[in-house]
Amino acid sequence: MAVLNSKFDILRGWPDGSAVAEDLTKSTKDATHPAIHRAGHFVLIGRGTDGVSSANNSVGGDLAATDSGYGNSLGLIIEGEEETSSLMSNTVTCLVGGGYVVRLHLEADLSSNAYGSAGIPGGVNQYLKVRGAATLEGVADISIAAGQSVIVKGGVVMSVDPDNLAVEGPGIIGVVLATSNDTIDLLVH
């Protein structure tokens, strides 16, 4: 059962649409690259040497052009470690494939609604509102906006750096359809 304190939502494409849900084993966490296994975050899906599929965003977390040759694909967590069952089973449920629209939000930042403002305890933002020098080295400030292509790094969605399309272009996962103060609607290819 989904946790109701999240604004993460699948708007189109699942169930009975183009996306398929699959339960995957969570990758191990390490101090250098802590994995994000919460709903609304993206993970690399790959098969280990034992043939078991796993959800991993602890190593890079982005789907680069070089990843496709190793059988990795991108998955969106729809039930993650905020769920008791995920913690007990060491698995997450992910949408695999594309062709769906999701609403992502800034769950760590304060968000407001008719009842006031609050952040989700233990929450992690599902997208980066402004990608810039303060958050990533050598990138000019780029605010996320409707019509913009996006990539995933470390499980978090962010706008594409137009000055670095040769590197980031193959990793584009979708386009932003709409934005508000603390949510974006994203079409995943």
Side-chain angles (χ1 to χ4, degrees), residues 24-40:
L24 303 168
T25 303
K26 292 188 286 190
S27 64
T28 57
K29 295 182 180 184
D30 62 40
T32 310
H33 302 95
I36 303 170
H37 289 117
R38 293 182 59 84

Side-chain angles (χ1 to χ4, degrees), residues 44-170:
L44 285 176
I45 300 171
R47 294 202 183 275
T49 55
D50 58 359
V52 176
S53 292
S54 64
N56 176 10
N57 65 10
S58 62
V59 183
D62 54 326
L63 188 66
T66 56
D67 291 327
S68 58
Y70 298 102
N72 290 328
S73 60
L74 195 63
L76 174 66
I77 298 174
I78 58 175
E79 287 188 6
E81 57 189 21
E82 68 279 1
E83 307 278 341
T84 304
S85 60
S86 173
L87 293 172
M88 293 174 65
S89 65
N90 196 37
T91 62
V92 293
T93 303
C94 295
L95 288 183
V96 295
Y100 54 88
V101 177
V102 293
R103 176 166 290 149
L104 304 178
H105 73 107
L106 302 172
E107 73 173 5
D109 295 347
L110 289 179
S111 59
S112 57
N113 59 31
Y115 304 106
S117 296
I120 295 174
V124 180
N125 289 340
Q126 297 166 351
Y127 71 96
L128 195 59
K129 198 169 190 174
V130 178
R131 181 180 181 184
T135 55
L136 297 169
E137 61 284 346
V139 178
D141 285 351
I142 309 166
S143 294
I144 204 157
Q148 206 167 40
S149 295
V150 293
I151 59 171
V152 174
K153 289 197 180 286
V156 178
V157 171
M158 61 187 68
S159 53
V160 172
D161 178 8
D163 297 329
N164 203 11
L165 276 178
V167 173
E168 294 186 349

